[in-house]
Amino acid sequence: MDFRDTPEEAAFRAEVREFIEKEAPKPKAGESAADALAANWQRNQEWFKRLGEKGWIAPAWPKEYGGAGMSTIQQFIFNEEMALARAPRPLHMIIGLGMAGPTLIVHGTEDQKKKYLPGMLRGEDIWCQGYSEPGAGSDLASLQTRAVRDGDDYVVNGQKIWTTLAHMAKYMILLARTDPDAPKHRGITYFILDMKSPGVSVRPLYNLGNSHEFNEVFFDNVRIPKENVIGEENRGWYSAVTTLDFERSSIGSAIGMKQHVEDLVEYAKDHQDGPTSTLRTNPMLRYELSDRMIEVEVARMLSYRVASMQNRGLIPNYEASLLKLYSTELNQRIARTGIHILGLYGQLRGDEAPQKGRLLQTFLRSVAYTIEGGTSEIQRNIIAQRGLGLPRD
Ligand SMILES: Cc1cc2nc3c(=O)[nH]c(=O)nc-3n(C[C@H](O)[C@H](O)[C@H](O)COP(=O)(O)OP(=O)(O)OC[C@H]3O[C@@H](n4cnc5c(N)ncnc54)[C@H](O)[C@@H]3O)c2cc1C
């Protein structure tokens, strides 16, 4: 693989870099991009607006819908530069921009596109994703939430769970069963639900770190107008799966992990004379940090592999599972190393704790990475069957 940019790619990289340098809000010293996002809402909103003016809030979307129509390699460069500069990304908009928007662009009507896409791009409308249910996660197609046609509406009853941002969202992309007699993948319809509709109730779920990210959502005779069906009735499964790879590069996460390890190394060195770094007292820590540094390079190579396949028009299959599995498990190891640096102080949270307990928070949150977006076991099944050619049972 040739890692060098072509002259066109180098020019594009320079343009992105210059724009970020000039316009992006700078995180304060010691502050991660994620913290900056939370702490400086207004400052970041202005930055997102400027990104939007260039079509870079949704770089993968076609230009006619307000995106930048970037090629795979341009997205790769864009994501790489954003991550290197630690420029904030609009994470609260990710379900709208990364899932609902692309689904509408491919399967939606013109009216739906006109009504919903601009609010996503302006960052005004937060979306949530109503797929998982108490009895349907890895085996999503066994979902049981029912939608029954009644005149010009569908009447929805059932429950979703783990619904990230449902408490803040204006709309939900909702999968519900419209034909219970059809084979399970063929009786599902894809809806847009206005979260203010009568009969929708949202109950918070607190994660291991005591943060409120996701929720349970209940539907009690909720009416959804038929105009809110995306694609065709009973064909929702196919709309739901065809658009998942709109955003094509995960280089940002590999660079983010590398920066995290670099930050840990700096922290361990800076605090080695105090009680909140075990660098002097725990010789194994040196090996741990070295291992993490090697592993982030492996993660970076795996993302290059996936991106270069996409650039050649190939669709990564088990290779994408390999990257997801390796990166999310590595994230957990990095978080664990962070806690090892702090020693017993790693158990503290609150203002008095080292780094205000941020490493503990990261450690607790890292558990979820290997579950959300498909569990590690599911990724291993894919690698075993499609990568290694092992039999299903
Ligand atoms: C932080 C977070 C945010 C989320 N946000 C959303 C959201 O916004 N919207 C949404 O719809 N969902 C969301 N989810 C749900 C997520 O998609 C599911 O948790 C995930 O798909 C797993 O499903 P499950 O929880 O039902 O576990 P299950 O599928 O019940 O799995 C339980 C265990 O069995 C294992 N297992 C299951 N099937 C197999 C198999 N065939 N072979 C081997 N092992 C297997 C799994 O790996 C797991 O260890 C979120 C989850 C998390 C953690």
Side-chain angles (χ1 to χ4, degrees), residues 129 131-132 137-138 162 164 214 368 371-372 375 377-378 381:
Q129 176 199 12
Y131 285 16
S132 304
S138 302
W162 317 124
T164 305
F214 45 37
I371 302 170
E372 60 194 331
T375 66
E377 288 76 15
I378 297 299
N381 281 346

Side-chain angles (χ1 to χ4, degrees), residues 356-382:
K356 299 188 177 176
R358 223 174 42 230
L359 284 177
L360 176 64
Q361 202 63 30
T362 308
F363 171 73
L364 294 172
R365 179 61 177 79
S366 73
V367 175
Y369 296 133
T370 55
I371 302 170
E372 60 194 331
T375 66
S376 287
E377 288 76 15
I378 297 299
Q379 309 308 326
R380 286 195 165 86
N381 281 346
I382 295 170

Side-chain angles (χ1 to χ4, degrees), residues 27-271:
K28 296 188 188 107
E31 184 185 55
S32 70
D35 285 348
L37 190 69
N40 298 292
W41 182 266
Q42 186 53 37
R43 199 177 59 159
N44 287 332
Q45 288 307 106
E46 283 157 25
W47 157 237
F48 297 151
K49 206 169 136 206
R50 275 196 286 285
L51 275 176
E53 284 157 11
K54 281 190 87 76
W56 288 359
I57 205 87
W61 291 15
K63 283 191 177 144
E64 56 186 303
Y65 297 119
M70 281 188 195
S71 67
T72 311
I73 205 74
Q74 283 177 325
Q75 285 176 57
F76 187 85
I77 291 170
F78 176 76
N79 288 337
E80 193 170 29
E81 290 300 320
M82 288 283 281
L84 283 169
R86 303 187 186 215
R89 303 296 298 257
L91 295 178
H92 60 295
M93 290 151 66
I94 211 71
I95 294 169
L97 295 172
M99 300 186 74
T103 308
L104 282 175
I105 289 170
V106 178
H107 300 284
T109 62
E110 282 314 306
D111 284 348
Q112 288 172 340
K113 290 176 198 173
K114 265 197 224 115
K115 183 167 175 190
Y116 298 108
L117 296 181
M120 290 178 197
L121 287 165
R122 285 195 305 272
E124 287 167 8
D125 301 345
I126 293 179
W127 287 65
C128 64
Q129 176 199 12
Y131 285 16
S132 304
E133 297 182 3
S138 302
D139 181 17
L140 182 60
S142 51
L143 60 91
Q144 294 299 322
T145 292
R146 277 286 272 135
V148 178
R149 184 72 185 261
D150 180 31
D152 282 344
D153 294 338
Y154 288 82
V155 179
V156 180
N157 282 285
Q159 182 199 344
K160 296 290 169 180
I161 195 168
W162 317 124
T163 323
T164 305
L165 292 178
H167 54 300
M168 293 165 72
K170 187 166 175 187
Y171 300 109
M172 170 189 276
I173 38 173
L174 167 71
L175 291 178
R177 188 159 302 283
T178 33
D179 184 352
D181 300 321
K184 63 181 181 180
H185 293 89
R186 301 213 189 123
I188 294 170
T189 300
Y190 203 137
F191 295 96
I192 299 167
L193 167 70
D194 183 334
M195 291 293 283
K196 291 239 156 38
S197 309
V200 176
S201 46
V202 177
R203 198 186 288 166
L205 287 171
Y206 290 86
N207 67 17
L208 207 61
N210 207 27
S211 308
H212 178 198
E213 280 179 37
F214 45 37
N215 307 269
E216 292 179 292
V217 183
F218 298 88
F219 311 106
D220 180 11
N221 287 317
V222 175
R223 298 192 84 86
I224 303 185
K226 69 175 191 324
E227 296 75 44
N228 286 21
V229 170
I230 306 181
E232 288 172 45
E233 187 181 270
N234 293 327
R235 301 277 303 164
W237 180 259
Y238 306 97
S239 308
V241 295
T242 51
T243 52
L244 289 179
D245 70 345
F246 233 72
E247 154 74 75
R248 283 162 169 257
S249 152
S250 50
I251 186 64
S253 91
I255 290 172
M257 287 193 291
K258 184 167 185 202
Q259 289 165 339
H260 193 177
V261 177
E262 285 167 354
D263 291 348
L264 290 179
V265 170
E266 284 313 304
Y267 179 91
K269 285 195 295 195
D270 288 350
H271 295 79

